[in-house]
Amino acid sequence: MGRLIRAFRQHPHHGRAISQSVAASWLHLSQPQLSRIESGPAVRDLARLTQWTGLLGVPKNLLWFTPGREQNGHPEHVMSSSSRPCDPHDVPDRMIVSTAQISRMELGGTTLLSGLQGILAAHIQADAMLGPLLLLNAITSHAPVVEQICRTAGEDRSRVLVFATEFVEFCGWLFQDVGDFTCATKWTNRALDYALELGDPRVTAYVLMRKSNIATESGDPDHGLTLANAALATAPQLTPRLRAVILRQRLHAHALLPHTDSRHRFQQDVELALAEVNDSLSQEEPDRAGYCTPAYIEMEIGASLLRAGRAHDALPVLQAHHSRGLDPMQARDRVLGLARLATAYAALGERDQACQVTVEAVQAVDTIRSWRVGTQLNTLEASLSRWSGDRSVEEVRGKVRAAAKAPWPTPN
């Protein structure tokens, strides 16, 4: 892949050769990162290969893999070749394809909707490994087509609305994880519009939970609590896993509120969330919260305790979560778990443990670009400042600062 990028970059197919720094900016990488890729070992990550070739506009006939081809019954990663879609900060509001075009569109013998479902699934998987920065332009470039399908849907409208809700909500999640809460709210509000038309209480509750999460992370836990309570208004109609993920969000809000009863209600929600997620182990019904496992809830409880300034309570929870290990496909969660554990050790004065886990966290960052990860790294670096006169700690802090200098966006 490195040789292809270099050859394609240096060939004057744009009228002139492309500099390494310019190509790196297109790929959302630093110039040294691109230099290592061009001269380093083979890249075998299909999602990353497809993303990079799409952003560079490499013709498909030059590729040795086929984006969009189905393997074992599952569509591979499909990516738009455009690196500059209609303004990705806007919720789609204009038609770019006609109804007749949509009716003729097919991907590998499947309907257009099935093809878009494959695109979304691949992006969701890639997001867990890489973070949102490499994906935002590509995924939002498909949004006008999704919007037009909703406008023209006939007998299949319910199926279309289920997909559109998931697609637009995922766009909101990506903007949230680059720290752009304004755009995250716009996209998630559109997802709620679709969910309300669909009339499915499970879909509506999930989107309300996402709105609660955005509100809480953007500094409004009171509104986050209101939205979480609204999501739980139909609790009997939800799956155990959905109830668990909403309770997890409500305890986040309680952890940040100064109300005298918030600590008591936080503990109640911890117990309820753990009970629900354990019940979900025998759940057979599908829902939108497939990532909500006991390990996930455990990590989120630890994060809430840490955020509430309760490092002493958070440490054993985060230690237990770390000892379980994480799905290697959840690279962002792995970094977050390590950074939170190191922060808890530092808050309690455990210097050696804090430094050891910090080094592990920095090594795990790799190519992940996420506002949430960047924020946690900055919090960790600040927590290590209590040993600012210690040379070995300063060396570790330097590594954290270097990792945090990657292109983390800042919230609007």
Side-chain angles (χ1 to χ4, degrees), residues 7-18:
F8 198 69
R9 178 176 61 75
Q10 294 175 345
H11 189 278
H13 60 289
H14 294 283
R16 59 182 176 83
I18 304 167

Side-chain angles (χ1 to χ4, degrees), residues 140-371:
T140 54
S141 70
H142 298 290
V145 180
V146 174
E147 177 78 356
Q148 181 60 9
I149 291 174
C150 289
R151 290 175 181 171
T152 58
E155 297 178 357
D156 231 8
R157 185 162 185 78
S158 292
R159 181 183 172 216
V160 168
L161 287 173
V162 169
F163 171 74
T165 303
E166 184 176 8
F167 182 94
V168 176
E169 179 271 312
F170 178 65
C171 291
W173 157 256
L174 292 178
F175 276 111
Q176 180 183 352
D177 202 30
V178 298
D180 190 337
F181 297 118
T182 299
C183 289
T185 300
K186 287 181 181 178
W187 286 84
T188 311
N189 283 343
R190 175 59 65 91
L192 183 60
D193 292 341
Y194 288 142
L196 290 173
E197 181 185 351
L198 182 65
D200 186 325
R202 296 180 179 180
V203 176
T204 301
Y206 187 84
V207 178
L208 285 170
M209 180 277 297
R210 289 287 304 116
K211 284 176 61 66
S212 172
N213 188 249
I214 294 168
T216 301
E217 284 203 352
S218 63
D220 192 355
D222 271 309
H223 187 47
L225 179 60
T226 296
L227 289 165
N229 285 332
L232 284 169
T234 56
Q237 301 176 61
L238 308 180
T239 63
R241 193 160 48 212
L242 279 173
R243 288 193 291 269
V245 81
I246 298 169
L247 286 163
R248 174 256 355 182
Q249 174 50 38
R250 191 166 73 175
L251 67 86
H252 275 334
H254 279 308
L256 297 176
L257 289 171
H259 306 160
T260 55
D261 64 341
S262 286
R263 185 159 180 161
H264 172 68
R265 294 191 176 187
F266 173 90
Q267 190 56 41
Q268 282 185 325
D269 283 346
V270 166
E271 294 170 3
L272 289 171
L274 289 171
E276 292 287 2
V277 78
N278 285 328
D279 285 347
S280 75
L281 295 176
S282 59
Q283 174 184 322
E284 296 182 356
E285 297 173 88
D287 57 32
R288 293 284 303 282
Y291 56 86
C292 184
T293 63
Y296 173 82
I297 291 294
E298 194 173 59
M299 179 181 72
E300 293 291 287
I301 291 170
S304 291
L305 288 166
L306 193 61
R307 197 175 293 127
R310 297 169 57 184
H312 187 271
D313 295 324
L315 182 59
V317 178
L318 293 170
Q319 285 174 323
H321 174 262
H322 180 59
S323 66
R324 284 174 182 253
L326 271 179
D327 182 344
M329 297 300 292
Q330 300 296 323
R332 176 176 43 217
D333 282 355
R334 171 173 165 74
V335 176
L336 285 172
L338 289 168
R340 289 162 179 166
L341 178 58
T343 302
Y345 277 129
L348 296 173
E350 301 286 350
R351 184 193 61 181
D352 293 344
Q353 291 91 331
C355 288
Q356 179 182 343
V357 179
T358 296
V359 171
E360 193 177 349
V362 169
Q363 291 173 341
V365 168
D366 195 20
T367 59
I368 300 168
R369 297 293 174 261
S370 156
W371 172 82

